[in-house]
Amino acid sequence: MKTLLKTTATAMALALAANAASAEGKLVIYHWFEYIPQELLDKFSEEHGVEVVMDTYDSNEALLASLKAGAIGTYDVAVPGDYMVSIMAQQGLLDTVADGELANKGNIAPEWADPSFDPGRQHSIPYQWGSTSFSVNRDVYDGDINTTDILFNPPSELSGKINMLDSQGEVLAMASLHMGIPQCSTDREQLKALNAMLQDAKGHWVSFNSDTAKEVLVSGDAAVGQIYDGFGAKAREEGANVEYAFPTQGYIVWMDNVVLLKNAPNRDNALKFMDFLLEPENIAAVSNYARYGAGVNGVADHLDPALASLPEANPPADAGAGVFIEVCDQETQSVYDTIWTNLKK
Amino acid sequence: MASRKYDIKSFPGFLPITALCLVILYAPLLVVTVYSLNDSNSITNWEGVSFRWYVDVFTGPESDKFKIAAWNSFTIAIVAATVSTTIATLAATAMIRGGRFRLRTVSFGLISLPLMVPEIVTAVATLIFFNSIGFTRGYLTILVAHIAFCIPFAYMPISARMQGIEDSYEQAAMDLYASKRQAFTKILLPLMLPGIISGFILAFIISLDDFIITNFVKGAGVETLPTAIFGSVKQGIKPNIMAISTMLLAVSIVMVTISYFVSKSDNTK
Amino acid sequence: MAAGAASGGSAQSDTYAEARTWLLLPAWAVLGIFILAPVLMMLVYSFLTKEFRGGVIWEFSFAAYDQFFCNRGLFGDEPCAIEWTFINIFWRSIWQAGAATLLSLVIGFPTAYFIATRPEKVRPIWVFLITIPYWVNLLIRTVSMKFMLRDQGPLNDFLISTGLIDSPIHIVNTNFAVQLGLFYSYLPFMVLPIYASVERYNFSLSEAAADLYASKWVTLRRVLLPAVKPGVIAGCILVFVPSLGSFLAPDLLGGAKNFMIGSLIEEQFKGNAGNWPFGAAASMILLTMVLIILLIFARQQAKAEKGAG
């Protein structure tokens, strides 16, 4: 018992010492999982003498929920997707980057310099962009895959072998494309039909998983998986015989952005980090790792040449249009929330 | 006593069930151990034996994260288990050696509350609570939450043990003019020691293993081993995680063995 | 039989009666502030108005409970019909947790009994054998369980190679996988309390029964079981309650296709829904349910003790 107490006392003392030692020069990042190479964080750490701490989340909604539940004020930067940037701005969770605070702001590619979700890039800088569609295992099915029927009305070979992302936004947006209706529809008949269609489609699905979206394809646990393009490329590079689909009905495009959070405890370091990620060489390292596109001028020189010809990043000519996920108003959103709950009940 | 038709204690089938139980408990761990030696980036394909993932745990890109997380986990578990075991021992003494009193049932309800309230409810409630009193989430919030929910786990074995000890020992000591304090520290506590130790161990394991509550109350960048592992493992178990698990298993077997021999040598005195 | 329940005479006493307030104070303080107060605050939250996308507005509202029990159609403007969605989610969770508890009891009781009847010196070794796997994180255990059970996993490979089956059995993403996962998560909580009470059990009672020509199984059922019942009940509660709110096993092993209580509540605070009052209301309903179950258990136990005495 005495030894136990002694050990405890020592442990407590050491724990306090360890906590005290790491108080200065910090940067706390709230980031998606498996999305930034550790070497890049180490490089930033070395260049600026800043200790980098990173937490991860697995969906835009999880990020929002956590910040609203009291985490705001403890993180410096986060990496929300397009629609979430506008929601977070509405919710007052973002700090404004004043003119001149970012030395490299001019590096932002013109097509991403004034996006609708953050006019004038007041709160954010581009991080990565890509698409969300689905990958199909070609050993299991060799027919035409460029149709959303694969997910919602699949051929018998694929029924019961489909993994969907566990994300309301992505599943319902894809379902809306499948039915050819608006994402924030207020038409009752359309919404009823959407609800009914999803109820039928669910019978063909084996699981909802975002975290393991890639793993289930590599391991063969699923033959079809709704997935982000870069993740699909990684699944293929890890040995799965999968092909990424570009449905004629359309697919989802997205851009993740580094935002400056309100009450950031290390605001200066956050700005340094944003400037750091606006340097072509650095953001290219992210693209080379995550297999997505960057939104910074001059990035091409630093990219892995294989990226240019990546099938997941090059839609065929007959592909449908890529659409961003839309933000619905409260009343409309509550109907979609009900549809989602119905789907998972 | 010697001549009965059958051995009253043994039942046919219980040994095979125990064996089955151990197989179920250990088979997944054995698989983890074997696959931690897999020389492949993915766990699904076997590509020969190698120790590269063990090297990776200490030198790889995630090594710092896991070192800090392991440190947080162990310090939190030791402190939480010690504090909650102390609180539980005192409470058990009052409950079982304190006679009948009005608040006894209420106190018992309060002590067992963390067991009765499902963990997810405690987690959400604690999150709301810390949020509304403005307690910034971090190392301390995890520690405080762990101390609270570990109390009943420490309390159960302790009170069970105390109920099994007749108070005649203490009465005898006090008849020989020992003070109550002496009766408590010299008689009751030593007799209680096995209960206290199992209470401590149970609380320690519960704290070390807790994911749900920790995940809700942890602050920015403060990870425990479970949350750090969750961050890595939810996309699919990776070989470095298997190496960590194998090492955790090895460490615990060593610890458990040592504590076994320590307790054995204590008994011989 | 009556003597069995009342063993140990004066284990409870009032030796430290005058110090009890001080002895209990730390427990009251810690549990009162960090468990009871948060739960009460949650009760308050369940009657507040939801703020869009997470948070609460401090206005009294019954909306959360209405949403739970009333089905007002897709558009929320129909009269109240019984909402089966959440009742079904609760029922599914109860069923899963119950099955897992039963599984734990069926395997845990013989195991605990077996260990408790080993020679005293080797008992700790057996207890360690049972607890060692629990030093490995629950998450890792659950994921390795999933890895084991996969269609192309070691278990199916093994069964196929022995010729017992021709094609892999689908276990992952089924209810059985979830039950197995829950069983695996909480088994020691079944084994340890039962072990503790069997160890304390005075086997001369069984011997007496046997001397009176009671058969082995009758002795087990009529003499031993009543005496170790508190341990069994404690074990069942310790497995059932955490299983009820668990979401790791259902998510990882069940494929997250259907909400369980745990994931439904989590979703309100960490996921898509962001409806705090509803999450609080679902939590309170879950809590009420658990308390009712525990109350029934306690009543029955008290009755059994009275009957025995």
Side-chain angles (χ1 to χ4, degrees):
Chain A
M1 200 63 190
K2 244 181 205 154
T3 22
L4 200 71
L5 288 174
K6 235 182 238 170
T7 325
T8 312
T10 322
M12 276 173 97
L14 282 169
L16 289 172
N19 281 357
S22 61
E24 273 179 326
K26 248 186 158 177
L27 173 71
V28 191
I29 306 173
Y30 206 14
H31 205 309
W32 294 84
F33 62 88
E34 208 177 338
Y35 198 13
I36 189 162
Q38 184 65 39
E39 298 79 26
L40 193 66
L41 295 176
D42 293 344
K43 184 182 169 193
F44 176 76
S45 211
E46 255 168 55
E47 277 181 15
H48 297 276
V50 168
E51 187 202 343
V52 178
V53 180
M54 187 170 83
D55 261 1
T56 60
Y57 53 86
D58 59 6
S59 76
N60 281 308
E61 288 71 20
L63 163 68
L64 176 69
S66 169
L67 291 176
K68 288 211 76 172
I72 191 77
T74 57
Y75 295 101
D76 297 307
V77 294
V79 190
D82 41 84
Y83 68 98
M84 193 48 71
V85 174
S86 45
I87 291 175
M88 285 169 72
Q90 278 169 22
Q91 298 271 327
L93 297 171
L94 302 181
D95 197 355
T96 304
V97 182
D99 284 338
E101 281 196 298
L102 285 179
N104 295 335
K105 198 168 179 182
N107 289 0
I108 299 177
E111 65 270 32
W112 296 114
D114 189 27
S116 59
F117 52 81
D118 184 16
R121 286 284 179 194
Q122 285 196 308
H123 314 287
S124 70
I125 61 160
Y127 186 67
Q128 297 274 287
W129 62 270
S131 66
T132 307
S133 171
F134 52 90
S135 281
V136 181
N137 189 327
R138 283 314 209 167
D139 295 335
V140 180
Y141 182 71
D142 57 6
D144 174 30
I145 61 167
N146 288 327
T147 163
T148 48
D149 278 337
I150 297 284
L151 292 180
F152 299 104
N153 184 22
S156 56
E157 297 98 306
L158 296 175
S159 178
K161 293 172 186 165
I162 299 170
N163 177 57
M164 300 298 284
L165 291 174
D166 196 2
S167 157
Q168 182 176 342
E170 259 125 355
V171 172
L172 296 188
M174 206 71 176
S176 301
L177 287 173
H178 175 66
M179 300 191 66
I181 59 174
Q183 283 184 45
C184 291
S185 173
T186 49
D187 182 308
R188 294 198 162 202
E189 292 312 310
Q190 287 180 351
L191 289 165
K192 275 183 193 160
L194 178 70
N195 187 41
M197 188 279 287
L198 284 166
Q199 291 297 325
D200 287 344
K202 188 187 181 184
H204 300 294
W205 300 343
V206 66
S207 55
F208 285 95
N209 254 318
S210 298
D211 312 315
T212 55
K214 180 185 77 183
E215 190 61 29
V216 291
L217 289 173
V218 176
S219 67
D221 288 347
V224 178
Q226 199 189 7
I227 202 164
Y228 318 109
D229 59 336
F231 242 35
K234 278 188 163 187
R236 189 170 46 76
E237 285 160 6
E238 284 174 22
N241 181 23
V242 291
E243 188 179 336
Y244 187 75
F246 286 97
T248 51
Q249 293 91 336
Y251 56 95
I252 299 164
V253 290
W254 48 262
M255 165 165 263
D256 286 336
N257 309 271
V258 182
V259 295
L260 182 61
L261 291 170
K262 188 142 206 159
N263 303 332
N266 311 286
R267 192 171 185 275
D268 289 345
N269 290 337
L271 290 169
K272 277 182 201 161
F273 185 66
M274 290 167 91
D275 257 338
F276 177 81
L277 286 177
L278 283 173
E279 278 166 30
E281 188 192 342
N282 297 330
I283 197 67
V286 178
S287 287
N288 289 339
Y289 172 81
R291 319 308 268 173
Y292 299 113
V296 169
N297 289 326
V299 79
D301 302 341
H302 304 280
L303 287 180
D304 177 357
L307 279 181
S309 56
L310 216 56
E312 286 81 3
N314 292 285
D318 62 344
V323 298
F324 280 105
I325 291 179
E326 288 168 29
V327 181
C328 311
D329 62 46
Q330 182 167 357
E331 201 179 327
T332 316
Q333 187 61 42
S334 74
V335 180
Y336 281 93
D337 286 349
T338 307
I339 293 176
W340 178 249
T341 307
N342 281 342
L343 184 59
K344 291 196 77 181
K345 71 184 176 190
Chain B
M1 186 168 164
S3 61
R4 192 168 288 110
K5 291 186 299 279
Y6 54 83
D7 175 8
I8 189 70
K9 286 188 175 184
S10 79
F11 286 88
F14 279 22
L15 174 63
I17 292 177
T18 309
L20 174 71
C21 180
L22 289 178
V23 168
I24 298 174
L25 288 181
Y26 281 90
L29 297 178
L30 198 68
V31 168
V32 164
T33 308
V34 170
Y35 275 80
S36 70
L37 299 168
N38 188 359
D39 187 21
S40 162
N41 284 321
S42 160
I43 50 146
T44 33
N45 309 312
W46 181 260
E47 288 173 17
V49 175
S50 113
F51 283 96
R52 60 182 273 216
W53 294 111
Y54 288 86
V55 178
D56 181 86
V57 170
F58 294 101
T59 60
E62 291 187 306
S63 58
D64 282 342
K65 182 174 117 187
F66 282 117
K67 273 179 217 160
I68 295 169
W71 180 248
N72 287 342
S73 266
F74 278 101
T75 52
I76 288 172
I78 288 177
V79 177
T82 309
V83 176
S84 59
T85 307
T86 310
I87 293 176
T89 309
L90 298 179
T93 311
M95 297 290 286
I96 291 159
R97 293 286 200 268
R100 293 182 182 278
F101 55 103
R102 243 187 319 147
L103 288 175
R104 194 167 183 275
T105 317
V106 176
S107 301
F108 185 72
L110 194 59
I111 291 169
S112 18
L113 200 59
L115 295 178
M116 297 193 280
V117 181
E119 206 179 350
I120 180 75
V121 177
T122 311
V124 170
T126 312
L127 174 78
I128 289 178
F129 180 70
F130 283 163
N131 194 23
S132 61
I133 63 168
F135 194 166
T136 310
R137 287 186 276 153
Y139 187 92
L140 262 183
T141 45
I142 304 178
L143 184 59
V144 165
H146 279 219
I147 290 174
F149 75 72
C150 281
I151 290 176
F153 289 97
Y155 178 85
M156 282 185 307
I158 294 172
S159 75
R161 177 82 193 181
M162 204 183 283
Q163 270 170 334
I165 302 171
E166 292 178 24
D167 77 330
S168 43
Y169 299 107
E170 296 144 82
Q171 295 302 342
M174 286 190 283
D175 288 347
L176 298 169
Y177 304 106
S179 69
K180 279 194 179 168
R181 185 178 289 268
Q182 282 170 327
F184 180 73
T185 53
K186 302 269 184 204
I187 308 292
L188 188 58
L189 270 188
L191 284 170
M192 291 286 305
L193 203 58
I196 292 175
I197 288 176
S198 44
F200 179 87
I201 290 177
L202 196 55
F204 184 84
I205 297 178
I206 294 291
S207 165
L208 198 65
D209 205 38
D210 179 73
F211 168 71
I212 297 179
I213 292 176
T214 311
N215 193 37
F216 271 83
V217 302
K218 83 189 177 75
V222 183
E223 301 275 1
T224 63
L225 218 40
T227 62
I229 290 172
F230 182 69
S232 284
V233 98
K234 58 187 175 175
Q235 301 108 50
I237 193 163
K238 278 178 247 164
N240 63 338
I241 300 293
M242 294 192 163
I244 291 179
S245 319
T246 309
M247 285 188 288
L248 269 180
L249 186 65
V251 167
S252 46
I253 291 173
V254 170
M255 271 174 66
V256 161
T257 315
I258 291 172
S259 79
Y260 176 69
F261 282 112
V262 167
S263 66
K264 221 175 159 189
S265 70
D266 264 0
N267 283 345
T268 55
K269 273 178 204 167
Chain C
M1 183 170 164
S7 67
S10 52
Q12 295 202 1
S13 75
D14 56 0
T15 316
Y16 305 103
E18 70 271 30
R20 69 191 168 212
T21 309
W22 294 107
L23 291 170
L24 276 171
L25 202 61
W28 283 340
V30 171
L31 294 166
I33 296 173
F34 294 107
I35 305 281
L36 188 61
V39 169
L40 292 178
M41 182 161 267
M42 181 114 113
L43 178 65
V44 173
Y45 266 50
S46 72
F47 288 105
L48 295 179
T49 307
K50 82 160 177 175
E51 191 184 330
F52 187 39
R53 301 190 197 284
V56 285
I57 300 166
W58 280 84
E59 256 169 54
F60 178 84
S61 161
F62 207 66
Y65 291 95
D66 186 89
Q67 185 182 346
F68 193 97
F69 292 109
C70 275
N71 183 351
R72 296 182 185 277
L74 207 49
F75 309 101
D77 53 5
E78 291 164 32
C80 179
I82 296 180
E83 173 63 281
W84 289 104
T85 306
F86 303 111
I87 295 171
N88 283 338
I89 291 172
F90 270 58
W91 175 242
R92 183 186 302 132
S93 298
I94 293 170
W95 193 82
Q96 293 277 39
T101 308
L102 196 66
L103 196 63
S104 303
L105 184 62
V106 166
I107 295 190
F109 183 86
T111 306
Y113 182 90
F114 181 80
I115 295 172
T117 51
R118 292 310 92 197
E120 207 172 331
K121 277 199 169 167
V122 297
R123 274 180 223 160
I125 299 177
W126 281 98
V127 172
F128 287 143
L129 273 177
I130 296 290
T131 47
I132 280 172
Y134 292 83
W135 290 73
V136 177
N137 182 261
L138 170 64
L139 222 57
I140 297 177
R141 279 184 282 128
T142 310
V143 177
S144 45
M145 189 76 162
K146 180 175 179 180
F147 180 70
M148 265 280 294
L149 301 176
R150 284 180 44 224
D151 288 2
Q152 288 89 23
L155 180 68
N156 272 313
D157 284 354
F158 172 76
L159 289 177
I160 291 173
S161 73
T162 56
L164 281 170
I165 52 172
D166 299 328
S167 57
I169 319 171
H170 300 287
I171 304 175
V172 173
N173 293 336
T174 64
N175 285 337
F176 181 64
V178 177
Q179 288 151 21
L180 214 54
L182 291 173
F183 158 77
Y184 193 34
S185 305
Y186 305 113
L187 180 71
F189 298 140
M190 181 66 85
V191 174
L192 293 179
I194 297 179
Y195 162 73
S197 43
V198 175
E199 200 194 19
R200 275 212 317 269
Y201 173 69
N202 186 350
F203 270 98
S204 54
L205 293 170
S206 290
E207 276 162 24
D211 288 342
L212 297 171
Y213 303 105
S215 83
K216 212 168 204 172
W217 294 102
V218 170
T219 312
L220 175 76
R221 204 163 55 84
R222 305 295 296 268
V223 183
L224 176 85
L225 222 46
V228 301
K229 200 172 156 194
V232 173
I233 288 178
C236 288
I237 289 173
L238 286 178
V239 174
F240 184 77
V241 171
S243 296
L244 206 53
S246 157
F247 62 84
L248 279 182
D251 260 27
L252 290 169
L253 291 165
K257 255 182 97 174
N258 299 308
F259 278 131
M260 301 282 280
I261 300 177
S263 42
L264 179 73
I265 294 172
E266 197 219 8
E267 175 110 341
Q268 309 306 319
F269 294 92
K270 293 212 127 187
N272 295 308
N275 187 343
W276 289 20
F278 182 71
S283 300
M284 291 323 294
I285 293 165
L286 170 63
L287 184 57
T288 311
M289 219 170 64
V290 169
L291 291 181
I292 289 173
I293 292 169
L294 293 179
L295 207 67
I296 294 172
F297 260 123
R299 275 274 165 84
Q300 279 202 332
Q301 208 176 350
K303 226 188 251 170
E305 267 167 27
K306 239 184 205 168

